[in-house]
Amino acid sequence: MCEREAGGPRNTLNFNVGVLGHVDSGKTSVAKALSSTASTAAFDKNPQSRERGITLDLGFSSFAVQLPEHLPRREQCGHPGYETLQFTLVDCPGHASLIRTVIGGAQIIDLMLLVVDVVKGMQTQTAECLLIGELTCPRMVVVLNKIDLLAPEKRQAAIEKMTKRMLKTLESTRFKDCPVIAVAAKPGGPDAPGTEQPQGVSKLIELLKRQAYLPRRDPSGPLLMAIDHCFSIRGQGTVMTGTVLQGSLSLNDSVEIPALKVTRKVKSIQMFRQPVGGAMQGDRIGVCVTQFDPKLLERGLVCTPGSLRTLHAGLMSVRKISYFRGALTTRSKFHISVGHETVMAKEEYAVGQGGPAKAAEPQQWALLEFEKPVTCPPLCLVIGSKLDTDIHSNTCRLAFQGRLLEGFEDKGYAESALPRLKLYKSKQREGQVERVADDCTVIGRNLFKKETNLQLFVGLKVTLSTGEAGLIEGGFGQSGKFKIRVPEGLNAETKQLLSSVSKKKAKGSAKGEPAREEEAKMHSQPVNIHLSFKRYVFDPQKRMIQS
């Protein structure tokens, strides 16, 4: 279909800019100073937002400029191409308790505005927003806001100092050397009368024009749209506002609302109050469909019927976020932001087979077991967090990130799907040789517990610290000791070493001097036994595998 049909902004390129930062840094003021058109969910229109004085949900607004010279006026759908660049601003909450909303909002942006209070600098949620930006978008602009709070005679020096500090912080990120600009979006603060004009906003608009690029916009494939606001219009239907993440949409299309398990027909489409005949990936739109109760859909996804799956569990790639101080341990619980939902899930960590042959290190994977089913697209971004951490503590709550590789729709996935997954854990064990039985056999200890079923380990390869390779033949007695067969025989040096240890033990015992026996242990060099193996996590037989 054509990107825009008659009756709408057919020559407009939409560019989504996320406005992120710490609470009270002035994000909403920046969005308001930039915008010329507001959506129904812009500028903290939520009554709770106004009561608390903070942004509680995603807000959307826009402004348009003439297409900058560096952006191509390409031929598309038979018309001359783009003439106007529309910036859609996604105003994200800054309060720590609302980070899951920020994660959802960040996945629909092409560029991030990181708003920083010029007086306070980087704060905990500023750093978290920076991390989210690194995971979700390629470009960033730092906005040092509230410069009106700086004494006029010290203002420029303070701005330069904070700029250097920010650039130093960003040196190790993907946003190294990104632009930094100083503004006063709302001089006097949010409650001040609007008589004083914002400072630096026109320069910020020019900077945004230079930073804009032609995002990947592909109308093919099934529709996927992130919904952030829903309301009804008497006599017309229910309106869902959101961003098209992939594919395209036209009048009279049927769309599925997976969360409600219903399909509805598209009656009309608007882009910032202007009617359009269609929309595609990257567009911010309102879609009016046949009536349903809007209270049932606060936020969610809309898609081509049958194109999304509802999952009880999923397999993901895992990369730990370096700033997270905790450990990623098996069976631990995290808040999982997947698609545009955040749910609790348990993880089972493992190393996977079948990764790139030349990879520098093994691929880390995890099985996510969701506490409630989630609906999401394939290969979507996954972020694991500890959102129950004290929001006042100076610590990063984002733990890991990756991509959803495979999902399981069957409730009985543990029996039907998991045994097919070649996920394993590498195991290492150390024991000691107790004594020599003969030239090709030694007795080992401290490798297994007394209650271990040694039959599971029979035939596994071990190596001695003296260099010999052997095989576990079976148990020896009832205390967890075991026999090791050394096919090539023990080295003479090994036999002599083990023989001297045994003599020292015997000599100490004969004289009834246990203290001397302990001293002999300390001064003799033990021969260690090393066992390495893999255990496939979901193997019903719990077999041990060696390469």
Side-chain angles (χ1 to χ4, degrees):
M1 72 165 221
C2 185
E3 180 197 354
R4 305 284 188 276
E5 297 180 7
R10 58 197 301 257
N11 298 325
T12 298
L13 169 65
N14 186 63
F15 190 82
N16 296 312
V17 177
V19 186
L20 289 81
H22 194 89
V23 66
D24 290 332
S25 60
K27 300 181 304 302
T28 301
S29 296
V30 169
K32 190 177 291 187
L34 288 168
S35 300
S36 59
T37 304
S39 76
T40 55
F43 310 141
D44 299 339
K45 287 188 176 180
N46 184 318
Q48 289 181 299
S49 292
R50 295 190 174 188
E51 181 182 340
R52 294 178 59 183
I54 60 173
T55 300
L56 294 177
D57 208 338
L58 301 176
F60 293 86
S61 57
S62 74
F63 67 97
V65 297
Q66 187 174 357
L67 193 77
E69 290 297 325
H70 70 278
L71 292 180
R73 300 171 182 266
R74 63 182 183 179
E75 291 283 330
Q76 187 164 348
C77 301
H79 63 71
Y82 301 125
E83 294 177 0
T84 303
L85 174 62
Q86 175 179 268
F87 288 99
T88 295
L89 303 176
V90 186
D91 182 14
C92 296
H95 196 272
S97 62
L98 302 168
I99 195 72
R100 67 185 68 192
T101 304
V102 179
I103 292 172
Q107 295 184 68
I108 60 177
I109 63 178
D110 303 309
L111 179 145
M112 179 170 74
L113 282 185
L114 184 66
V115 182
V116 178
D117 185 322
V118 72
V119 178
K120 298 178 181 178
M122 285 283 288
Q123 300 176 80
T124 304
Q125 275 69 65
T126 319
E128 287 186 338
C129 290
L130 175 59
L131 282 173
I132 293 170
E134 281 201 274
L135 301 179
T136 56
C137 70
R139 293 194 186 184
M140 184 177 78
V141 170
V142 176
V143 178
L144 302 179
N145 193 24
K146 303 186 179 182
I147 59 172
D148 57 300
L149 300 182
L150 301 172
E153 67 275 10
K154 299 180 180 178
R155 182 171 299 169
Q156 190 57 38
I159 291 172
E160 291 176 1
K161 182 178 180 181
M162 185 59 71
T163 299
K164 289 180 181 178
R165 186 180 300 176
M166 289 301 305
L167 291 175
K168 182 70 175 177
T169 300
L170 298 174
E171 273 185 355
S172 59
T173 74
R174 70 185 300 179
F175 303 124
K176 180 182 179 182
D177 298 326
C178 81
V180 180
I181 188 169
V183 306
K186 185 67 169 67
D191 299 324
T195 54
E196 192 172 345
Q197 290 297 311
Q199 301 172 24
V201 171
S202 59
K203 292 182 179 179
L204 175 56
I205 292 175
E206 291 302 313
L207 176 58
L208 286 174
K209 288 167 63 176
R210 293 195 299 273
Q211 289 295 309
Y213 59 93
L214 190 66
R216 180 181 176 273
R217 301 291 192 238
D218 183 3
S220 64
L223 169 74
L224 181 63
M225 179 177 172
I227 301 300
D228 48 68
H229 191 43
C230 196
F231 58 94
S232 61
I233 300 178
R234 187 184 297 273
Q236 294 189 37
T238 301
V239 175
M240 303 178 292
T241 63
T243 304
V244 181
L245 301 179
Q246 69 179 43
S248 59
L249 180 69
S250 296
L251 291 175
N252 300 317
D253 280 356
S254 291
V255 295
E256 181 184 357
I257 307 170
L260 306 184
K261 296 182 171 59
V262 299
T263 300
R264 291 289 186 267
K265 187 176 181 179
V266 176
K267 299 174 69 176
S268 64
I269 306 172
Q270 286 193 359
M271 187 177 298
F272 285 98
R273 300 174 185 169
Q274 295 188 59
V276 293
M280 65 178 290
Q281 183 185 47
D283 285 338
R284 168 78 187 170
I285 58 174
V287 181
C288 183
V289 299
T290 45
Q291 190 75 46
F292 69 88
D293 185 355
K295 294 179 182 178
L296 299 176
L297 187 67
E298 177 187 0
R299 181 181 288 113
L301 296 172
V302 168
C303 63
T304 299
S307 62
L308 288 187
R309 302 163 65 199
T310 298
L311 309 178
H312 294 274
L315 182 67
M316 70 167 288
S317 60
V318 177
R319 178 175 296 174
K320 184 177 179 180
I321 291 173
S322 59
Y323 299 102
F324 181 67
R325 296 175 185 171
L328 304 185
T329 55
T330 290
R331 313 306 293 173
S332 56
K333 286 189 175 185
F334 286 89
H335 291 86
I336 302 298
S337 297
V338 53
H340 287 261
E341 294 187 64
T342 296
V343 299
M344 290 296 294
K346 290 187 296 185
E347 284 86 7
E348 182 86 47
Y349 291 98
V351 177
Q353 286 187 330
K358 297 181 180 180
E361 55 188 45
Q363 176 69 58
Q364 297 293 320
W365 284 348
L367 174 74
L368 308 176
E369 298 182 280
F370 305 122
E371 290 194 350
K372 66 175 185 177
V374 298
T375 301
C376 58
L379 297 177
C380 63
L381 175 69
V382 181
I383 297 178
S385 313
K386 279 288 189 182
L387 300 184
D388 48 1
T389 304
D390 181 4
I391 61 174
H392 301 294
S393 63
N394 185 23
T395 182
C396 176
R397 295 171 296 164
L398 307 179
F400 59 88
Q401 58 98 0
R403 291 278 167 186
L404 186 69
L405 304 176
E406 185 173 352
F408 306 113
E409 298 177 83
D410 181 8
K411 283 186 178 180
Y413 63 89
E415 292 76 31
S416 63
L418 296 189
R420 294 186 286 106
L421 297 179
K422 297 300 182 183
L423 293 183
Y424 65 84
K425 293 180 180 178
S426 295
K427 301 284 188 178
Q428 311 285 336
R429 292 192 181 184
E430 290 282 352
Q432 290 80 41
V433 173
E434 182 170 89
R435 61 183 177 86
V436 176
D438 57 49
D439 287 351
C440 293
T441 308
V442 295
I443 307 300
R445 57 183 169 85
N446 296 341
L447 199 61
F448 307 108
K449 296 179 180 178
K450 182 179 180 180
E451 62 272 17
T452 300
N453 180 7
L454 287 173
Q455 287 302 310
L456 296 174
F457 295 87
V458 170
L460 293 189
K461 303 172 187 176
V462 297
T463 55
L464 305 185
S465 57
T466 47
E468 295 92 336
L471 299 171
I472 297 175
E473 280 198 330
F476 182 80
Q478 303 297 318
S479 60
K481 295 179 182 179
F482 53 96
K483 286 183 180 180
I484 294 176
R485 179 72 176 169
V486 183
E488 301 296 324
L490 294 169
N491 298 328
E493 295 84 356
T494 304
K495 288 190 287 185
Q496 183 178 358
L497 178 62
L498 292 171
S499 174
S500 63
V501 171
S502 298
K503 287 179 180 178
K504 288 179 181 178
K505 286 183 180 179
K507 184 177 180 181
S509 299
K511 292 185 178 182
E513 297 179 2
R516 183 170 293 181
E517 180 181 345
E518 291 302 315
E519 184 181 348
K521 284 183 183 180
M522 292 175 62
H523 287 87
S524 64
Q525 181 182 356
V527 177
N528 293 324
I529 303 165
H530 181 71
L531 171 64
S532 296
F533 61 93
K534 302 171 186 174
R535 174 172 283 169
Y536 288 112
V537 176
F538 305 115
D539 181 1
Q541 278 85 46
K542 302 295 182 184
R543 289 167 294 190
M544 270 63 74
I545 307 295
Q546 290 180 314
S547 301

